[in-house]
Amino acid sequence: MSAVPDISGHFGPYGGRFVPEALIAALDELTAAHESAKHDPVFTAELDRLLSTYAGRPTPLTDARRLSEHAGGARILLKREDLAHTGSHKINNVLGQALLTKRMGKQRVIAETGAGQHGVATATACALFGFECTVYMGEEDTRRQALNVARMRLLGAEVIPVRTGTRTLKDATNEAFRDWVANVETTHYAIGSVVGPHPFPMMVRDFQRIIGVEARQQTLDLVGRLPDAVVACVGGGSNAMGLFHAFIPDESVALVGCEAGGDGVETGRHAAPLTAGTPGVLHGARSYLMQDEDGQTQDTTSISAGLDYPGVGPEHAFLRDSGRATYSGISDAWAMQALEMLAKREGILCAIESAHALAGACDWGRAQVAAGRDPRDLVIVVNVSGRGDKDVDTAARWFNLVSAEEIAEAELVRAHEGEQP
Amino acid sequence: MSARLDELFARCRSENRAALIGYLPVGFPSYDVSVAAMLAMVEAGVDAIEVGIPYTDPGMDGPVIQVAVDAALRGGSRVAHAFGAVQAVSPHVPTVFMSYWNPIEKYGPKRFAADLRAAGGQGAITPDLIPEEAGSWLEAAAAEDLDPIFVVAPSSTDARLAGVGNVSRGFVYAASTMGVTGTRAQVGDRAEELVTRTRAQTDLPVCVGLGVSNGDQAAVVGRYADGIIVGSALVRALQDDGVDGVRRLTEDLAAGVRRR
Ligand SMILES: Cc1ncc(COP(=O)(O)O)c(C=O)c1O
């Protein structure tokens, strides 16, 4: 069914392998391992077992009745990846890659992380499988997602703050690639999204597509038909590809991706490459990215560490150009409003990343109604990619939920923690 | 107009020594000083120069070069400036670019090749471009008679070595170790094996890079390679001791490749 990628990992003009020659042997090995595992009933049974008994799948589909009025009256169904073990969809991918690591006979896993959710998921799988684990995280992100740094260390992982470049996910990814080049014979690099050189965009999608497979059946069971739209936030694009993929052949279903609009896409301070970027090569693949006229990667702005990334997975670039999926930027302010709305109306504290999807779903529903559709006929599935514990600190500041003295005190504690190894 | 790369390697071979190739990024610590340092390398006996185009995400580079290109970019170094640097050094020694792929793709491979040729450049090393993805670059380079130079690594299979040999011109860049650029106490012992394996697949000269940092190492590697490539050590010399530091290190390296 899936025509892309081709055998060399291209989604039309996107994807491919733009990496040092030194990594090609490992990428070939990984491609072969994934290909053979896919058709190995022992492997797939083991992955299914882990997903159900360890990660808690299937995750529920929650009918969020009280959100309808914010979406022009459309019915909103929440795909609850926040209820998966470790608190986000990232575990789906990591369990698959951990099994592949074992299959390849490697003992060490490295990862990059932005919000820390992929790092936590990787540290978790490494604890479970007994692998050595190193996670690279931009120094800026270790600060805004301090809770996740502590979680990773508790799980036995080494967390290395990255101090080069913009000190965020982009630079953590560079550092992880450098580690991998030097240690590729013993180490697997578990990339956390549908980005990077082939086979990562395809492989991570394959491990995440369970989200959409479940959501599709759950929607059919609940409302007796397919949804009108499925909506997800897009950082690197893994939760979105995971949700979208099973729906691609269903042409009546709109695929809606929500990028980080930061201060507003029109300000230039955002992280929305599909909305406002141009095609280019970053981190091993051709896709849309935020770059200047010299091809230098531009700085990004987003309140959400997990979306604060100048690139995006190549399959999204392909879906964008073909028109099969549409993408837009959701501002920090709108995302935070959606986060509060979900918390107060449904009692669900979601990740700031996921709040972008909810905001985008509201926009989509209202636009359909404005265009003359009957809201009672509209069903929208929103991917709640993760839970919001890690973001309580950011939200507390945003909504002024704590006093200046309390913030100062918390900062002192954190500065002290920062001195620990 | 300087000699062509193939003429350079023929000459070095007749002198029974390896060629010395030096790398510096444009704009570190400033445009003028980076070009002055390249010209100092020429005076001190370098055989060819790799003009580095600074890039925000240098995945093949270790800390020394990362810090230097970061500073160059913050100082306003632009891709257009790199052609100026080529123009300044290419009359003296064969000059090639060292550039990650995205700045070339963004510039437009055809225009990039034409401007490089016009500046007197002879080719480009592209550390994150593999032959399979290089179609547009190979075409553009061929149209301007430029040498596309690709990298091989200890992990490359013989089939891949042959593939790289088929599309490369000028020389093949052999990465001495599995890793990124940076000075090392010893050049990996896999380097010699890689040179031997590469020679079995191609008649092109094979130059060894990654980790060579002084005359003694240059002498050792120069015994089995057609050329040695020095980057981080020169950048560090420039950072610590300025243009004179680059000159002294280049003299040491140039003596190294001539040592028997
Ligand atoms: C909860 C959550 N959602 C979304 C993302 C963005 O990643 P992706 O676009 O790959 O799903 C992250 C990344 O850290 C995340 O933690």
Side-chain angles (χ1 to χ4, degrees):
Chain A
M1 175 210 71
S2 74
V4 288
D6 65 15
I7 184 106
S8 57
H10 293 94
F11 303 84
Y14 302 110
R17 284 179 175 174
F18 294 84
V19 291
E21 168 69 22
L23 291 179
I24 298 298
L27 293 171
D28 282 345
E29 178 191 24
L30 183 60
T31 306
H34 175 234
E35 195 54 42
S36 81
K38 244 194 311 205
H39 303 108
D40 176 356
V42 177
F43 180 93
T44 51
E46 177 69 359
L47 182 55
D48 287 348
R49 189 187 64 79
L50 282 171
L51 288 172
S52 67
T53 66
Y54 188 73
R57 303 207 71 87
T59 58
L61 189 72
T62 301
D63 203 345
R65 299 237 174 234
R66 296 185 69 208
L67 286 181
S68 277
E69 65 183 88
H70 298 281
R75 187 169 176 186
I76 302 242
L77 306 176
L78 304 174
K79 180 59 176 162
R80 300 292 305 279
E81 293 302 298
D82 59 318
L83 294 178
H85 180 44
T86 69
S88 85
H89 68 291
K90 299 285 183 187
I91 193 75
N92 305 328
N93 168 40
V94 163
L95 288 175
Q97 292 204 45
L99 278 175
L100 283 181
T101 304
K102 192 168 100 179
R103 197 176 176 91
M104 292 184 293
K106 294 184 174 179
Q107 282 295 323
R108 177 173 179 261
V109 174
I110 59 172
E112 84 296 338
T113 197
Q117 289 301 106
H118 174 59
V120 167
T122 306
T124 298
C126 287
L128 181 66
F129 281 78
F131 299 145
E132 191 189 327
C133 180
T134 300
V135 178
Y136 292 94
M137 187 169 188
E139 192 181 45
E140 161 85 9
D141 292 334
T142 60
R143 225 172 270 137
R144 52 180 168 173
Q145 311 275 238
L147 175 69
N148 275 343
V149 175
R151 289 171 78 195
M152 288 183 269
R153 288 183 175 151
L154 263 177
L155 289 159
E158 175 190 24
V159 180
I160 301 184
V162 176
R163 299 193 171 87
T164 51
T166 55
R167 303 176 182 215
T168 59
L169 180 54
K170 166 180 94 75
D171 305 284
T173 305
N174 289 334
E175 216 41 47
F177 268 112
R178 292 185 186 113
D179 180 319
W180 203 32
V181 173
N183 301 296
V184 65
E185 278 137 7
T186 58
T187 298
H188 175 61
Y189 177 15
I191 292 186
S193 192
V194 286
V195 299
H198 178 65
F200 285 104
M202 171 183 77
M203 181 180 76
V204 176
R205 174 200 74 195
D206 288 351
F207 289 139
Q208 290 291 3
R209 79 184 290 282
I210 183 133
I211 301 172
V213 169
E214 286 175 7
R216 192 175 181 282
Q217 189 57 49
Q218 288 166 322
T219 307
L220 287 173
D221 292 346
L222 186 71
V223 300
R225 66 176 182 87
L226 290 172
D228 298 283
V230 295
V231 186
C233 68
V234 180
S238 67
N239 87 87
M241 256 344 287
L243 178 64
F244 291 177
H245 198 251
F247 291 99
I248 290 174
D250 303 320
E251 282 179 18
S252 68
V253 180
L255 311 178
V256 180
C258 304
E259 296 191 291
D263 293 337
V265 172
E266 68 289 347
T267 66
R269 292 187 301 278
H270 57 81
L274 291 163
T275 309
T278 50
V281 168
L282 176 68
H283 292 153
R286 184 182 290 112
S287 184
Y288 279 82
L289 67 109
M290 292 178 53
Q291 58 182 334
D292 69 11
E293 57 278 20
D294 271 1
Q296 308 291 356
T297 311
Q298 286 173 318
D299 290 356
T300 51
T301 304
S302 171
I303 192 170
S304 152
L307 305 183
D308 201 358
Y309 180 67
V312 65
E315 191 162 8
H316 285 293
F318 179 75
L319 291 172
R320 174 201 185 276
D321 284 6
S322 73
R324 180 65 190 90
T326 56
Y327 301 86
S328 64
I330 302 294
S331 71
D332 287 355
W334 184 197
M336 292 309 286
Q337 201 182 320
L339 179 127
E340 185 180 31
M341 196 165 83
L342 185 63
K344 295 209 163 136
R345 308 225 84 197
E346 298 287 341
I348 297 171
L349 199 50
C350 73
I352 297 176
E353 289 79 12
S354 318
H356 288 70
L358 185 61
C362 293
D363 286 344
W364 192 85
R366 284 186 208 148
Q368 294 298 306
V369 173
R373 291 200 47 190
D374 185 341
R376 285 164 304 183
D377 288 346
L378 286 175
V379 176
I380 307 174
V381 171
V382 179
N383 202 13
V384 181
S385 55
R387 68 178 188 226
D389 310 37
K390 69 187 177 59
D391 295 319
V392 168
D393 199 75
T394 306
R397 284 158 201 259
W398 181 271
F399 294 114
N400 289 317
L401 303 179
V402 282
S403 67
E405 297 88 75
E406 287 168 318
I407 287 178
E409 193 166 317
E411 235 135 50
L412 267 179
V413 171
R414 192 157 322 128
H416 178 68
E417 274 168 0
E419 289 156 15
Q420 318 284 315
Chain B
M1 188 63 197
S2 61
R4 292 183 46 96
L5 278 173
D6 48 6
E7 295 163 355
L8 167 69
F9 285 108
R11 197 185 79 222
C12 288
R13 210 163 280 169
S14 76
E15 293 172 11
N16 196 20
R17 68 172 178 94
L20 172 62
I21 304 171
Y23 160 95
L24 283 175
V26 177
F28 175 76
S30 67
Y31 176 79
D32 288 344
V33 174
S34 64
V35 172
M38 290 177 201
L39 292 172
M41 285 200 281
V42 171
E43 288 164 15
V46 87
D47 293 301
I49 287 185
E50 262 179 42
V51 171
I53 299 182
Y55 175 54
T56 40
D57 296 274
M60 256 305 272
D61 285 304
V64 173
I65 292 177
Q66 279 174 48
V67 167
V69 299
D70 218 40
L73 288 170
R74 274 187 281 108
S77 188
R78 305 295 309 267
V79 171
H81 301 159
F83 293 97
V86 171
Q87 203 158 16
V89 293
S90 64
H92 309 290
V93 291
T95 305
V96 298
F97 267 144
M98 167 74 131
S99 180
Y100 288 88
W101 176 244
N102 199 49
I104 301 177
E105 176 155 314
K106 186 68 181 164
Y107 200 91
K110 266 191 182 157
R111 185 164 75 97
F112 188 91
D115 289 359
L116 177 55
R117 163 60 52 202
Q122 303 206 3
I125 302 166
T126 45
D128 61 345
L129 190 67
I130 58 169
E132 291 91 327
E133 301 286 355
S136 65
W137 173 237
L138 291 173
E139 207 175 293
E144 297 292 341
D145 197 25
L146 294 172
D147 294 339
I149 298 156
F150 293 88
V151 181
V152 294
S155 61
S156 302
T157 59
D158 289 345
R160 292 199 60 82
L161 295 178
V164 168
N166 278 337
V167 297
S168 296
R169 272 183 34 177
F171 64 91
V172 170
Y173 186 130
S176 67
T177 52
M178 297 295 287
V180 295
T181 57
T183 57
R184 290 178 176 82
Q186 272 187 318
V187 176
D189 47 5
R190 298 170 81 178
E192 182 164 10
E193 184 201 334
L194 177 59
V195 170
T196 308
R197 288 176 52 223
T198 307
R199 286 219 181 99
Q201 303 297 332
T202 176
D203 294 331
L204 286 169
V206 182
C207 300
V208 170
L210 300 197
V212 188
S213 55
N214 57 44
D216 291 342
Q217 289 175 331
V220 172
V221 178
R223 277 184 205 117
Y224 59 80
D226 297 292
I228 61 153
I229 302 168
V230 182
S232 297
L234 286 161
V235 174
R236 176 167 288 162
L238 181 57
Q239 187 182 310
D240 293 349
D241 304 307
V243 172
D244 274 345
V246 170
R247 192 188 309 274
R248 283 196 300 273
L249 176 57
T250 308
E251 284 166 356
D252 178 37
L253 292 162
V257 294
R258 286 168 176 80
R259 212 174 293 158
R260 295 284 139 71

